Amino acid sequence: MSVSAVPAVPAVPAVPAAAADPSVCAPLAVLGRDVTVPLVTGGEVTYAALDYAASAPALQRVWDDVAAYAPYYGSVHRGAGYLSQLSTDLFENSRTTVAEFLDCREDDQVVFTRSTTDSLNLLAAALPAGCEVFVFETEHHASLLPWRDARVTYLDAPRTPDEAVHTLERALADRDPYGPALVCVTGASNVTGELWPVRELAAAAHAHGARIVLDAAQLAPHHPVSVQELDVDWVAFSGHKLYAPFGSGVLAGRSDWLREAAPYLAGGGASRKVARRPKEAGGGVDVEWHDTAARHEAGSPNVIGVYSIAAACKALTEAGFDDLVAREQYLIRKVREGLAEVPAVRVLSLFGDDAPRVGVISFVVDGWNSSHFAAALSAEYGIGVRDGLFCAHPLVRTLLGGEAGEPGECGAPEAAPGEKSLNAIRVSFGAGTPDEHVERFVRAVKELVADGARWNYRTEDGRCVPDTSAAA
């Protein structure tokens, strides 16, 4: 039976939109929306997951699609059996779905990886000899750190989108005009949520003979990403930010550097032909590698992870990004207006209050260590946020200006003198967030600032946690 003749996985009944349920009021249903958690002050409350920027909850539809496929699970690519052919068909169709979601060019490759970090490390391993890399210090570590074997120019944090473009143009003007070069830039900051001028940066890169890769980890879950409209050479993102389970990612874009590079991992699947070399010829093996995406997908693939990404891409596309963006902007306004009413709160920003952004907001609170504040939000209100430097240490330190809070306070991280509590709080949300979660968050911030925590907290393994031995 040919792969094309393999029937599709049985259709899963459509999951009703969460917005139809007035107790949920979110465009898309997500797992965990009904989970309750205990409060240290007594009782339980529905968990408010406001840490989407780290990992968004999986869409219910994604989970249901995967569950429908699970009984048909089989080996991929080299199996002769029915389930193997069906799984192979599902895997390769997922590649097509992702290419359509990203509006890729006809000859682009879609390579499946473990995450955005893995994708950018793959691209780093595929850089041509002598390639120069240009990256802003504002990047997440996933896009700041992989370029260890290249010549890297780190660009200072810009304070406006125009400054970002001009900074890049000046740096590129000084480079060797004949050698290969790559620009790496985020689409939306994982710290401030601000959108970067990707199309303009791509134009600047190409005008100076460089290529550009877009870190879309924080952009793709919130906005449509078109490789062709943005004119980027590659795009990378993670499934776990796109409402899919952990362990899958994508690198999509131009095939030439990927085709000419040594395989990211050596092994089965990446090799087309392997032959033993005669002893008189020195022994060993001769290998002919694939020149397709399989070249960098050695080993048995994560079929469940890949299919879940494709399912998430379909769900977001069918929900309509116009509607998703409009509602997220409504939630952003609710949070920002609420925080603006608290003088002790300072929201972090590179480009200013009017900059377009996704649902990612970081802030600090006068008189509070961020770990302590985040712990109180969780323990006393059932709200999950993140605190720290968000795997973007240079950016957060720039935004905080090296300010130090109260040293030695609960949860203050170990750092250089004067920086013991140099961290921030991040709240993030998306298509599965009901109004009540952000309303509870704003109310909790106001109450904590006005009245303080209602419980005692202590430091444990570097984290601020409730002291269950006594109340405040």
Side-chain angles (χ1 to χ4, degrees), residues 91-111:
F91 184 83
E92 292 303 332
N93 285 340
S94 295
R95 204 186 303 275
T96 301
T97 298
V98 172
E100 292 172 350
F101 179 75
L102 295 174
D103 189 27
C104 288
R105 296 165 288 257
E106 184 175 352
D107 57 349
D108 282 345
Q109 286 187 355
V110 173
V111 182

Side-chain angles (χ1 to χ4, degrees), residues 150-165:
R151 289 183 291 162
V152 184
T153 297
Y154 295 102
L155 306 175
D156 292 340
R159 288 298 182 168
T160 67
D162 285 345
E163 185 182 341
V165 176

Side-chain angles (χ1 to χ4, degrees), residues 144-221:
L144 186 71
L145 302 180
W147 322 104
R148 297 184 299 274
D149 297 327
R151 289 183 291 162
V152 184
T153 297
Y154 295 102
L155 306 175
D156 292 340
R159 288 298 182 168
T160 67
D162 285 345
E163 185 182 341
V165 176
H166 296 152
T167 296
L168 178 62
E169 288 177 333
R170 288 193 298 270
L172 291 172
D174 292 336
R175 80 173 189 91
D176 177 359
Y178 302 105
L182 178 71
V183 176
C184 181
V185 66
T186 189
S189 171
N190 78 304
V191 176
T192 67
E194 293 164 319
L195 299 181
W196 277 61
V198 176
R199 186 182 291 104
E200 292 80 0
L201 291 168
H206 294 153
H208 290 84
R211 296 190 179 188
I212 186 168
V213 57
L214 169 64
D215 175 353
Q218 300 295 343
L219 183 63

Side-chain angles (χ1 to χ4, degrees), residues 278-420:
K279 290 184 179 179
E280 54 270 24
V285 294
D286 291 319
V287 185
E288 179 182 335
W289 303 103
H290 282 294
D291 59 8
T292 62
R295 183 183 189 89
H296 298 291
E297 294 177 346
S300 296
N302 178 4
V303 184
I304 293 292
V306 165
Y307 183 46
S308 68
I309 283 184
C313 290
K314 288 182 178 179
L316 290 171
T317 299
E318 291 170 8
F321 268 109
D322 287 346
D323 290 340
L324 295 177
V325 169
R327 182 165 189 285
E328 185 173 306
Q329 292 304 310
Y330 160 75
L331 294 180
I332 291 171
R333 287 194 299 273
K334 285 178 73 78
V335 173
R336 288 178 60 85
E337 289 172 1
L339 294 179
E341 294 173 357
V342 186
V345 169
R346 178 165 70 88
V347 174
L348 305 183
S349 175
L350 267 177
F351 300 154
D353 290 342
D354 296 332
R357 65 191 73 234
V358 300
V360 179
I361 299 169
S362 296
F363 63 98
V364 291
V365 183
D366 291 344
W368 285 80
N369 171 265
S370 295
S371 180
H372 188 189
F373 200 89
L377 286 173
S378 175
E380 301 178 27
Y381 295 90
I383 299 170
V385 298
R386 187 170 176 186
D387 67 278
L389 299 174
F390 318 126
C391 292
H393 294 188
L395 171 56
V396 179
R397 291 177 186 278
T398 294
L399 294 173
L400 294 179
E403 300 171 3
E406 295 293 332
E409 190 182 342
C410 180
E414 293 298 329
E419 292 189 348
K420 292 198 69 175

Side-chain angles (χ1 to χ4, degrees), residues 11 17 81 134 197 218 226 238 258 260 319 398 409 437:
F134 297 82
Q218 300 295 343
S226 169
S238 293
L258 299 176
E260 294 160 8
T398 294
E409 190 182 342
H437 288 187

